[in-house]
Amino acid sequence: MSSTILVTGGTGTLGRLVASRLRDAGHAVRVAGRHAPPPGHDVDFVQCDLDTGDGVEAALSGVRTVVHCAGAQKGDGDKARLLVAAASRAGVTHLVFISVVGADTIPVRSRFDRAAFGYFASKRDAEDVVAGSGIPFSTLRATQFFELTLLTARAMAKLPVIPVPKGFRFQPVDAGEVADRLVELALNEPAGLVPDLAGPLCYPMRDLIRSYLSAAGQRRRLVPVHMPGKAAKAIREGANLSEDMAVGRKTWEEFLTERVPGVVGR
């Protein structure tokens, strides 16, 4: 019988999808997170905190493969350090990590860079921890999920006038397609840093916001703004994109049609 596969962040957007796909494929799955899933979700859940270490040893008991989906806007390197130390003691033989396109190409140097784009540096720190852990690993960089793009658009739509960074483009991807790839990696031999997974199309940020407003039946004025700093400059130059790896199939328009009332482009 194969050992249990641990999914950290298993109650989040991506982790839930990974865990359900692994279970559907007949694998024993344990979900770890800070907050238990809602009642009625029949999962093997272990409460653990990757900031404090509480529950991590118990979560790793009997585990040989970890799919590390837990993350935040900052501190991912520290979470990874805690996890890999415990995973090494537990005898984990494969660590699968989800990172972000741009982690290695977007410089985060100034105070403004850290405040606005610290997520990229946090993911790069975690990548380095995973790669240097001594545990065989597979790391996948993906572009931003549709869900995050939608969350951002909804938040900005609450403003009477929406500031839109000049020159910013994004290549959002379906979280389900990312989950499929992570499952594939988890069930195979460690592969190191694998090719990126990016959405099928690149969009100027203003177009993403406009399409959301159209779908939601809202009107707002969009005002272009210049974002300072080296990180913003890198994004204007496309460092957060992976146009040669546009292997995702689902489009932003298809996602909006499913998730937002109204008709895209009306």
Side-chain angles (χ1 to χ4, degrees), residues 34 49-52 68 70-83 97 114 117-127 129:
R34 295 176 63 181
D49 190 327
L50 288 172
D51 291 320
T52 65
H68 183 32
Q73 287 299 310
K74 60 181 181 179
D76 278 1
D78 291 334
K79 290 179 175 64
R81 287 181 186 89
L82 194 153
L83 177 64
F97 179 56
R114 290 192 294 273
F117 306 105
Y119 175 74
F120 293 96
S122 180
K123 282 297 186 186
R124 181 54 191 262
D125 189 15
E127 283 187 11
V129 171

Side-chain angles (χ1 to χ4, degrees), residues 121-145:
S122 180
K123 282 297 186 186
R124 181 54 191 262
D125 189 15
E127 283 187 11
D128 290 342
V129 171
V130 169
S133 67
I135 301 172
F137 71 96
S138 302
T139 291
L140 171 67
R141 292 173 181 151
T143 50
Q144 284 74 23
F145 299 160

Side-chain angles (χ1 to χ4, degrees), residues 130-162:
V130 169
S133 67
I135 301 172
F137 71 96
S138 302
T139 291
L140 171 67
R141 292 173 181 151
T143 50
Q144 284 74 23
F145 299 160
F146 291 138
E147 287 82 358
L148 178 59
T149 306
L150 177 60
L151 184 67
T152 301
R154 278 178 168 158
M156 297 180 81
K158 294 178 181 178
L159 301 171
V161 176
I162 301 177

Side-chain angles (χ1 to χ4, degrees), residues 244-258:
D244 59 339
M245 291 304 299
V247 296
R249 298 176 299 279
K250 192 171 187 176
T251 67
W252 166 246
E253 290 81 5
E254 291 168 339
F255 173 81
L256 272 184
T257 299
E258 295 173 359

Side-chain angles (χ1 to χ4, degrees), residues 218-232:
Q218 296 179 301
R219 291 180 179 274
R220 296 289 187 275
R221 181 184 174 198
L222 275 58
V223 177
V225 297
H226 176 77
M227 294 285 280
K230 292 183 178 180

Side-chain angles (χ1 to χ4, degrees), residues 199-215:
L201 298 169
C202 296
Y203 303 83
M205 187 172 182
R206 64 179 182 276
D207 290 355
L208 291 169
I209 296 172
R210 281 173 176 160
S211 60
Y212 167 75
L213 292 171
S214 176

